[in-house]
Amino acid sequence: MTTSAATKPVSQSAAAPEPAQGARSVKTRDPFYDNAKFLAIVLVVAGHAIEALRDVPSARAVYLFLYMFHMPVFIVIAGYFSRGFPSSSDKVRKLLTQLVVPFVIFQLAYMALAKVVGGRDVNLTLLDPYYLVWFLLALFAWRLSTPVWHRIRWPLGVAVAISVVAGLQDLPGVLETGRVLSLLPFFVLGLTLRPEHFEFLRRPAIRALAVPVMLGGLVVAYWAAPRMSMEWVFWRRSNDYLAVDDLTGTAMRLAMLMAAIILTGAFLTLVPTRRTWFTALGTTTMYVYLLHGVPVKLSGYFGWYDHPVLHTTLGAVAVGVAGVGLALLLSTPPVRRLARWAVEPRMAWAFQPRDRATR
């Protein structure tokens, strides 16, 4: 869901014309990252679509499996493309127009929807992120912290320590502090990655392991789903809340961090590196992410999930497939045109001209 451009130089070949002398080298987006973002957002939407069907054992297992890695994928990629954030000349503008303003708009929109349509007792506030908008706030905080991770010697180790400590105490729900700190290692991991790390994932031997790893993760999820609280995969609760002692909770959190990283790596290994029919849709993932919650929430408010036929394995499969269709629908140009004011506000009027801002 990052909006940064993934670029790499276009290789020269017989089919490509030579650039004019003195011209700048042409760059294009690397399709791998757009493919990864689109496939991941499809899993996010499918996961949210079946959330209300977790009483179905198979749906609960798939939900647990998806939640182990779909957001870590996005966070790792967000970290990877935040490496140059401190030196960006437009970093303030990007923080405001890509994160802060959409956060305010969708925070109020989802809370109003819950209150007016869902009849929920909602306290309209910007301090307690509602539903899926927590990611915008988290990304805002993580990007602001980027210079720190560039300067310290063992950034990933420190981030893991912070995540573990976050589980040792009840942190305030304000600003999603617990989740921001708990998921921090994935962002810092992205900051530390280099192109050669992604190239490593494309080696044939690594690719051969990816499918067994994903299938193994799904099998473990089927075993674990009836035995563990789903709160673990939301990364927002303390060990005390989860009714475990600190030693058990720390071991569990470290195991989940490791499992999420392994599944994230396996997922990225399976992502196509060539341009595909859905590559261009990888640039629209923030639209899909912020908008898909509306039909999902409305389905719950209107009781559409209450139909008994949905609370079966086939019903859950049908809802998951509908979630894939919803992701595709929200990627279409008409939807993006209608929602651009909220997802990607221009706001040129709010900023000083660059020459004046640098005086």
Side-chain angles (χ1 to χ4, degrees):
M1 290 172 286
T2 55
T3 54
S4 303
T7 60
K8 68 175 182 180
V10 176
S11 58
Q12 295 297 322
S13 66
E18 291 289 333
Q21 246 184 345
R24 293 179 181 177
S25 61
V26 180
K27 292 189 175 182
T28 186
R29 295 180 71 95
D30 186 335
F32 168 76
Y33 301 104
D34 286 331
N35 291 340
K37 288 191 293 181
F38 179 72
L39 293 175
I41 197 62
V42 167
L43 297 182
V44 169
V45 179
H48 279 155
I50 66 172
E51 185 172 11
L53 307 177
R54 285 179 290 168
D55 58 312
V56 181
S58 56
R60 184 178 178 87
V62 171
Y63 182 87
L64 173 60
F65 175 66
L66 294 180
Y67 267 69
M68 278 300 300
F69 71 92
H70 67 24
M71 287 311 296
V73 168
F74 275 118
I75 298 169
V76 167
I77 294 176
Y80 181 72
F81 287 110
S82 296
R83 293 174 302 158
F85 174 76
S87 60
S88 170
S89 59
D90 287 331
K91 56 180 175 289
V92 173
R93 180 191 293 265
K94 290 176 181 178
L95 282 174
L96 292 176
T97 60
Q98 296 178 3
L99 299 176
V100 175
V101 174
F103 166 75
V104 172
I105 292 172
F106 283 94
Q107 168 80 349
L108 296 178
Y110 276 113
M111 296 184 80
L113 190 69
K115 191 175 185 69
V116 176
V117 181
R120 305 307 198 256
D121 184 15
V122 176
N123 178 27
L124 293 177
T125 176
L126 295 178
L127 298 179
D128 186 12
Y130 187 79
Y131 195 35
L132 47 72
V133 298
W134 68 268
F135 181 72
L136 297 178
L137 188 64
L139 190 53
F140 175 81
W142 294 331
R143 281 189 173 162
L144 284 181
S145 72
T146 299
V148 174
W149 307 112
H150 283 323
R151 294 293 297 173
I152 64 178
R153 180 164 293 179
W154 301 291
L156 189 55
V158 172
V160 170
I162 290 173
S163 178
V164 168
V165 171
L168 300 179
Q169 52 200 312
D170 288 309
L171 294 171
V174 175
L175 303 179
E176 283 285 351
T177 307
R179 183 140 49 180
V180 170
L181 297 179
S182 296
L183 290 167
L184 178 61
F186 300 112
F187 183 79
V188 176
L189 174 62
L191 286 175
T192 62
L193 292 177
R194 297 292 179 266
E196 53 267 28
H197 295 126
F198 291 99
E199 290 294 334
F200 174 79
L201 294 177
R202 299 169 189 174
R203 293 183 179 182
I206 302 300
R207 284 184 180 274
L209 293 174
V211 171
V213 166
M214 296 297 278
L215 291 177
L218 188 57
V219 170
V220 172
Y222 268 90
W223 174 84
R227 295 173 171 84
M228 65 179 284
S229 168
M230 287 295 163
E231 278 294 336
W232 283 106
V233 294
F234 298 149
W235 299 91
R236 61 187 177 186
R237 301 298 187 184
S238 67
N239 297 332
D240 185 59
Y241 182 95
L242 293 165
V244 296
D245 60 79
D246 286 339
L247 182 61
T248 302
T250 297
M252 182 69 173
R253 183 165 291 230
L254 290 173
M256 287 185 59
L257 285 169
M258 183 60 66
I261 290 171
I262 291 172
L263 290 173
T264 296
F267 172 83
L268 292 173
T269 298
L270 295 173
V271 171
T273 58
R274 67 186 184 283
R275 181 165 293 277
T276 67
W277 64 269
F278 57 80
T279 298
L281 302 182
T283 65
T284 69
T285 52
M286 191 60 83
Y287 286 86
V288 180
Y289 181 77
L290 292 174
L291 296 174
H292 82 274
V294 174
V296 170
K297 281 293 186 183
L298 288 176
S299 297
Y301 296 152
F302 292 143
W304 296 341
Y305 280 113
D306 297 339
H307 200 289
V309 73
L310 295 182
H311 291 262
T312 63
T313 298
L314 287 178
V317 170
V319 171
V321 171
V324 175
L326 177 62
L328 290 170
L329 175 64
L330 296 177
S331 300
T332 58
V335 173
R336 299 202 308 271
R337 282 196 295 270
L338 287 173
R340 183 170 290 121
W341 67 273
V343 179
E344 291 184 300
R346 306 290 182 177
M347 296 186 62
W349 53 269
F351 300 96
Q352 295 182 8
R354 189 174 301 176
D355 56 344
R356 290 181 57 192
T358 54
R359 286 178 186 174

